[in-house]
Amino acid sequence: MNNSPYFLQPASVQSVMLRVLLALIPGIAVYVWFFGAAILVQIALASVTALLAEAAMLKLRGKPVMMFLADGSALVTAWLIALTFPPIAPWWLTVVGVLAAIVIAKHLYGGLGQNPFNPAMVAFALMIVAYPSLMSQWPAVGFTEFLPQWQAIFGPRQLDAITMATPLDALRTALHTADARATVAGVLGSSASFGNIGGKGWEWVAAGYCVGGIYLLQQRIITWHMPAAFLATLFVISGGFALYDPTRFVGPSFHLFTGGAMLGAFFIVTDPVSGCTTPRGKLIFAAGIGLLTWIIRTFGAYPDGIAFAVLLMNIAAPLIDMNTQPPVFGHKRKAGGRP
Amino acid sequence: MNVVQKLFGFHGGVKPNYNKEASTRLPIAAAPAPTRLVIPLHQSIGGPPRPLVKAGDRVLKGQRIGDADGDVSSAVHASTSGTVIGVEMRLMPHTSGLSAMCVVIEPDGRDEWVERKPFDFRAATPTATRDYLRDAGVVGLGGAVFPSHLKLNAGKQGRLDTLVLNGAECEPFITCDDVLMRERADPLLRGAAIMREMLEASRVLVGIEDNKPEAIAALEAAAKRANDASIQIVAVPTRYPAGGAKQLIRALTGIEVPHGERSTDYGVQCFNVGTAYAIYEAIELGQPLISRIVTVAGNVGQARNYQVLFGTSMRDLVALCSPLPDTDRIIMGGPMMGFRMPSDDVPVVKATNCVLVGSQKLFPPPPPEMPCIRCGECAKVCPADLQPFEMYWFARARIFGKAQEYHLFDCIECGCCAYVCPSRIPLVDYYRFAKSEIWAREVEKEAADEARDRYEFRLLREEREKQEKAAKLAAKTAAGREKAAAALAEAEKPARTPEEEAKHALIAAALERAKAQKDQVHPENTGNLTPEQQAEIAAIEARRAEIREQAKPHLRQDD
Ligand code: SF4
Ligand code: SF4
């Protein structure tokens, strides 16, 4: 028989995870609208793989399979992988990515709640290092036709017509390669992949994620600290450099509404298990990711920097937590109390 | 009275379903005296009282049957008149299922009081008043049963700013303070006035959660009648645990009293409203504490508050409320911090504010525990500003030192963290476990430490003795050499005169005496030690003092 409290709030890991999935739906809907149904195929593929891998690992580790399978955490990882991978990536890329996340990043570290690294970002980082070109083939805006997308995933692949460089990629190659002469304005004007504020189409997907993020905030599943610190850092640093040299550095709105910034801000940076937990720690952690993201995006070799930024900060998280413990009741002021 | 009191609030807290309506529909009723009263002698924090009666004695209502054992203790009285049929071990209202000494009384139905006379505390010295309250058995009625006389002592800095009366009553289901405030507001405030005088406090703040508008109105009206401008009734937002003494003090005054310190050192003292009423009864009516209001609620047909004689069996009390057939447990206290009783045949005691009747349906067993996902929900609601999941982590891994570093002992076991945890981890169980382990280890360590100290001292002594021996040996050989030299010289010189021999003996005797005296002055063998050795002993002492400090009984002074 249990002890007090005898009363528990009706909350569960499952309900938390389901609400996270729910929060992803607006972004996914916009995604489908602009880029076709391929992403749904990828989500389904990732989900099935994740559930099978999760079940197998639980069985191997002698854990109650149904109880943990129902917690929904594997699905969240799967969806995030699908949403960060190119929607027209070959099926095996997604499958291998999901397996890496569930088997290596999650269960080899002890399963739910034990992983020091964000599993979805481990998958992304591994795949982009191993298959940089496959991970860089993104669909062009407007090519929403299902058949070629299906073929891109399951073969035979004929990509030329439907891919194009992502806005981040295009910018970086144009601006920061050896004989870069281009200016931001020139690049932005030259390519069809740039929209009004961010990447064309992507800016609206980002807005969809933002809506989901606000829902998570309202549900108190995430706190404001991480999204705010991440976005603010990205905004300030990109804004600062854009002011300093607008021809070479692209402005903040582009950074915030391109690539995985919004998805990252509300769904990836906020992963509680691998991140910081103290309020001040969360701010430092997310600001660090913002800074590293900007650096990798601007000077690095990969199209988006969020995955590496997250993993780097994951390493630092325990240290940050240790040094940002909030003062406990009665120990806030040295004198011990009187306000 | 209608001065707007600034509120400070406190961090965290939760809003469980309060379930308070059912037991407030009917007024307080007197529970009938049962056929047997089992009155535990030890009903407060501190030393267990000594029994004053034996089997066969006739006792009167209010007669003292257990005498306070020293000052940190509180007397116990017969709740009604009758015959003592035994002083024996009986099951206690405690989860442990342990038994303790109880006075068992068979009531005679006459309910005959001892002589009662009011106590003129204004004419008495503060010490005499405190002794009187100790002998009247007045203890904190909020559940912690800390002897009240110990708290009715102005702080070290003399005058106290604020007397806080705790009428927040934040635990779900419990309404005994609510009905007390509604029905007995005037005497309650008279008790408060007595306390204020004893503490020389300049104001009284009565904190009540704003979900009790009737109680607030009743007390406001009573304060108006009493025409006492120093009393303010303050509605605090309804949020568990607003009734935690520290949380209420913080909400009302902004002062945070750190763990292990006295609120009086910050100019505040806090009592439960029930205690104020008990003080009124003791001082103005001359009645010792023999009964209290108890809420019976939960899985019953009719929840209600009863005035219950101490020693009444919970089974008899619950029977008054027609418990439903699927009842499977009895909890003393509320659902957040209460304790499951080992049986329903345990007595109502001074700590019993509520007898909560439970069933599987009302309090379903929690779903299986999942791993912590570090979501931080627990930290968001912790009123002590702790990081519960970190403490959980270390408690579970049995790394108790680390758990302590995360302020395990600042945890008030309010249960907010476990209440919100999506992984359904029984967090408070882990803290209770870790605390008891640490206490057990400290007791062990204390014993081991003494042994080790003895051992270390022995080593030091042996070391010293060795040095002395060596010194003596050296002296001897030196002396021997001298002797040899002297003998050589002797051979050449005339022999020592008898006078010289006598002088020598005298000097030797004097030296011997001086040495003996020196030994007397330093009986602990620490007299003639090298600085290093002394430093070592100091280090040992410091270590022990630190442990003693940590092992200081973690008494809850909260009311
Ligand atoms: S609420 Fe539960 S799951 Fe969340 S951090 Fe606290 S202990 Fe872990
Ligand atoms: S039980 Fe302890 S750790 Fe949990 S919320 Fe209450 S004070 Fe904080």
Side-chain angles (χ1 to χ4, degrees):
Chain A
M1 187 69 67
N2 59 309
N3 295 319
S4 62
Y6 299 95
F7 242 24
L8 298 177
Q9 200 176 51
S12 62
V13 176
Q14 188 183 36
S15 87
V16 171
M17 297 297 172
L18 289 182
R19 279 178 288 167
V20 173
L21 295 180
L22 192 64
L24 283 168
I25 286 178
I28 295 173
V30 183
Y31 202 136
V32 173
W33 174 263
F34 279 100
F35 300 96
I39 186 62
L40 298 181
V41 177
Q42 297 285 6
I43 288 175
L45 197 58
S47 302
V48 172
T49 314
L51 290 178
L52 289 176
E54 178 97 345
M57 288 313 288
L58 288 169
K59 187 117 197 161
L60 275 179
R61 293 176 54 221
K63 301 273 172 186
V65 174
M66 281 329 285
M67 179 179 127
F68 279 97
L69 209 53
D71 70 28
S73 60
L75 284 181
V76 171
T77 305
W79 286 32
L80 289 177
I81 290 174
L83 292 174
T84 46
F85 278 33
I88 51 172
W91 63 271
W92 57 267
L93 197 73
T94 308
V95 169
V96 174
V98 171
L99 288 178
I102 300 287
V103 176
I104 300 173
K106 186 175 183 185
H107 282 284
L108 289 191
Y109 279 105
L112 180 67
Q114 314 284 316
N115 46 295
F117 296 106
N118 185 322
M121 293 301 99
V122 169
F124 186 92
L126 280 177
M127 291 300 115
I128 203 160
V129 171
Y131 304 101
S133 64
L134 286 179
M135 288 293 283
S136 308
Q137 290 163 344
W138 289 77
V141 191
F143 285 90
T144 54
E145 229 178 298
F146 190 60
L147 189 64
Q149 291 189 339
W150 176 269
Q151 284 176 339
I153 300 172
F154 295 103
R157 303 189 92 209
Q158 281 168 348
L159 291 178
D160 300 345
I162 59 168
T163 58
M164 84 198 315
T166 64
L168 271 171
D169 242 352
L171 247 186
R172 205 197 40 252
T173 352
L175 292 178
H176 298 287
T177 38
D179 59 349
R181 290 257 183 75
T183 62
V184 167
V187 178
L188 290 185
S190 72
S191 167
S193 67
F194 297 99
N196 298 324
I197 29 180
K200 195 163 191 178
W202 296 114
E203 58 204 15
W204 295 108
V205 177
Y209 293 141
C210 199
V211 169
I214 290 165
Y215 166 74
L216 288 184
L217 281 171
Q218 181 265 330
Q219 292 285 305
R220 295 183 25 113
I221 288 177
I222 59 173
T223 59
W224 60 269
H225 303 81
M226 292 212 192
F230 172 74
L231 294 174
T233 308
L234 201 52
F235 182 92
V236 168
I237 190 143
S238 59
F241 275 88
L243 280 181
Y244 162 71
D245 185 353
T247 58
R248 288 182 48 223
F249 296 99
V250 69
S253 62
F254 179 82
H255 269 289
L256 296 191
F257 283 90
T258 312
M262 281 297 162
L263 184 66
F266 293 103
F267 295 91
I268 296 171
V269 175
T270 49
D271 169 44
V273 175
S274 55
C276 284
T277 51
T278 65
R280 271 194 307 144
K282 284 179 182 175
L283 292 176
I284 297 172
F285 176 80
I289 296 176
L291 175 66
L292 289 170
T293 299
W294 181 84
I295 293 174
I296 299 170
R297 275 182 173 183
T298 310
F299 306 109
Y302 295 109
D304 202 344
I306 293 183
F308 294 104
V310 168
L311 294 177
L312 282 174
M313 291 309 289
N314 282 163
I315 299 174
L319 200 68
I320 299 174
D321 265 345
M322 228 190 293
N323 290 298
T324 53
Q325 286 298 316
V328 311
F329 189 94
H331 302 286
K332 285 176 189 132
R333 286 158 287 267
K334 264 206 214 89
R338 263 174 216 263
Chain B
M1 269 139 278
N2 284 325
V3 186
V4 178
Q5 170 69 28
K6 185 173 177 240
L7 279 175
F8 296 86
F10 62 94
H11 172 260
V14 294
K15 288 184 180 172
N17 199 341
Y18 269 68
N19 290 298
K20 291 194 188 244
E21 307 74 31
S23 54
T24 50
R25 283 193 205 113
L26 296 169
I28 305 168
T35 48
R36 281 272 188 295
L37 287 169
V38 179
I39 305 175
L41 282 166
H42 196 197
Q43 294 194 44
S44 72
I45 302 264
R50 295 179 306 267
L52 295 172
V53 291
K54 55 185 188 313
D57 288 359
R58 177 172 149 74
V59 290
L60 293 174
K61 179 173 185 155
Q63 180 180 332
R64 206 185 312 158
I65 55 175
D67 215 357
D69 177 39
D71 204 38
V72 187
S73 181
S74 189
V76 178
H77 304 77
S79 323
T80 187
S81 60
T83 314
V84 175
I85 55 175
V87 180
E88 55 196 45
M89 299 296 275
R90 288 294 186 100
L91 195 61
M92 284 288 98
H94 189 266
T95 325
S96 64
L98 291 178
S99 297
M101 231 5 134
C102 295
V103 174
V104 185
I105 295 174
E106 186 170 33
D108 58 13
R110 279 186 278 177
D111 216 22
E112 217 176 301
W113 271 101
V114 287
E115 193 199 345
R116 286 169 284 172
K117 38 177 205 302
F119 183 83
D120 186 359
F121 74 101
R122 289 199 181 89
T125 63
T127 315
T129 311
R130 282 196 289 274
D131 287 351
Y132 172 80
L133 288 174
R134 179 193 65 207
D135 294 340
V138 180
V139 298
L141 293 181
V145 288
F146 195 86
S148 299
H149 65 277
L150 296 173
K151 286 170 71 182
L152 283 167
N153 215 340
K156 277 183 212 145
Q157 291 135 24
R159 266 170 63 93
L160 207 80
D161 274 349
T162 312
L163 165 62
V164 169
L165 280 196
N166 189 344
E169 198 166 55
C170 56
E171 268 256 13
F173 287 101
I174 308 182
T175 58
C176 60
D177 292 344
D178 187 0
V179 292
L180 172 81
M181 292 186 285
R182 292 187 199 191
E183 297 185 27
R184 303 177 190 170
D186 292 289
L188 193 163
L189 289 190
R190 295 181 64 157
I194 295 169
M195 291 163 128
R196 183 173 63 79
E197 264 194 72
M198 289 185 68
L199 289 166
E200 299 170 42
S202 32
R203 59 171 182 168
V204 182
L205 298 180
V206 189
I208 307 174
E209 276 194 344
D210 56 14
N211 63 350
K212 304 179 192 48
E214 295 91 342
I216 294 171
L219 277 181
E220 270 174 351
K224 205 169 267 165
R225 279 194 294 276
N227 198 19
D228 185 342
S230 70
I231 297 180
Q232 279 180 59
I233 315 300
V234 190
V236 298
T238 299
R239 184 161 45 107
Y240 176 85
K246 289 186 173 159
Q247 281 63 41
L248 187 66
I249 290 174
R250 152 107 213 181
L252 293 179
T253 66
I255 294 169
E256 284 190 9
V257 181
H259 166 71
E261 288 188 40
R262 288 169 208 276
S263 64
T264 44
D265 293 341
Y266 298 90
V268 190
Q269 188 59 293
C270 179
F271 289 90
N272 179 263
V273 285
T275 316
Y277 180 76
I279 285 192
Y280 155 80
E281 281 198 328
I283 300 272
E284 295 207 6
L285 307 182
Q287 292 183 7
L289 188 63
I290 54 159
S291 69
R292 66 162 295 152
I293 305 173
V294 180
T295 307
V296 185
N299 199 39
V300 290
Q302 177 56 64
R304 188 168 191 178
N305 282 285
Y306 289 93
Q307 185 80 41
V308 187
L309 299 176
F310 297 136
T312 304
S313 151
M314 288 190 188
R315 183 192 293 153
D316 294 347
L317 179 61
V318 168
L320 299 174
C321 297
S322 29
L324 303 182
D326 61 337
T327 294
D328 69 346
R329 80 196 93 166
I330 283 194
I331 295 160
M332 184 166 105
M336 297 299 286
M337 291 182 80
F339 292 97
R340 189 162 182 266
M341 295 293 103
S343 145
D344 58 359
D345 193 20
V346 288
V348 166
V349 291
K350 294 178 182 178
T352 314
N353 48 6
C354 176
V355 174
L356 185 56
V357 183
S359 68
Q360 289 289 317
K361 216 173 110 223
L362 193 59
F363 305 125
E369 180 179 339
M370 300 276 286
C372 167
I373 54 169
R374 294 170 58 88
C375 64
E377 276 305 306
C378 48
K380 269 191 238 165
V381 298
C382 176
D385 304 296
L386 305 175
Q387 301 281 309
F389 56 91
E390 303 276 15
M391 299 194 311
Y392 153 72
W393 179 259
F394 290 117
R396 191 182 139 106
R398 296 169 164 259
I399 308 173
F400 298 122
K402 272 282 184 192
Q404 245 175 306
E405 269 176 42
Y406 280 97
H407 306 278
L408 176 65
F409 285 102
D410 286 54
C411 165
I412 57 170
E413 296 182 21
C414 65
C416 288
C417 49
Y419 176 77
V420 297
C421 175
S423 289
R424 330 316 284 142
I425 304 171
L427 292 163
V428 188
D429 281 354
Y430 282 99
Y431 308 147
R432 291 189 189 117
F433 161 72
K435 286 180 184 177
S436 64
E437 280 295 293
I438 292 171
W439 282 324
R441 279 174 197 200
E442 275 167 5
V443 170
E444 257 168 48
K445 204 165 170 195
E446 187 93 348
D449 249 33
E450 247 157 56
R452 200 200 47 225
D453 281 3
R454 275 201 296 276
Y455 176 69
E456 285 185 14
F457 276 121
R458 206 180 73 214
L459 285 187
L460 285 172
R461 201 184 56 227
E462 281 171 3
E463 174 65 15
R464 198 193 61 154
E465 277 167 1
K466 231 188 268 164
Q467 281 178 2
E468 276 176 1
K469 246 184 227 154
K472 261 188 211 144
L473 197 71
K476 232 188 225 157
T477 36
R481 250 183 257 124
E482 251 167 50
K483 232 186 208 158
L488 261 176
E490 207 90 322
E492 284 150 34
K493 266 167 74 186
R496 221 190 245 170
T497 60
E499 289 94 325
E500 270 176 340
E501 280 291 350
K503 219 188 202 163
H504 252 109
L506 267 176
I507 293 169
L511 276 174
E512 204 60 42
R513 265 203 308 278
K515 190 167 175 284
Q517 252 168 21
K518 208 172 183 187
D519 281 352
Q520 255 169 16
V521 176
H522 299 282
E524 329 91 320
N525 293 329
T526 48
N528 3 334
L529 296 177
T530 62
E532 286 84 355
Q533 284 168 327
Q534 275 168 356
E536 212 172 313
I537 290 173
I540 293 168
E541 268 310 311
R543 210 155 54 226
R544 296 207 51 213
E546 197 180 310
I547 291 157
R548 269 199 298 273
E549 185 61 31
Q550 283 169 2
K552 244 193 217 161
H554 299 271
L555 290 186
R556 277 170 57 193
Q557 247 214 56
D558 317 355
D559 203 2

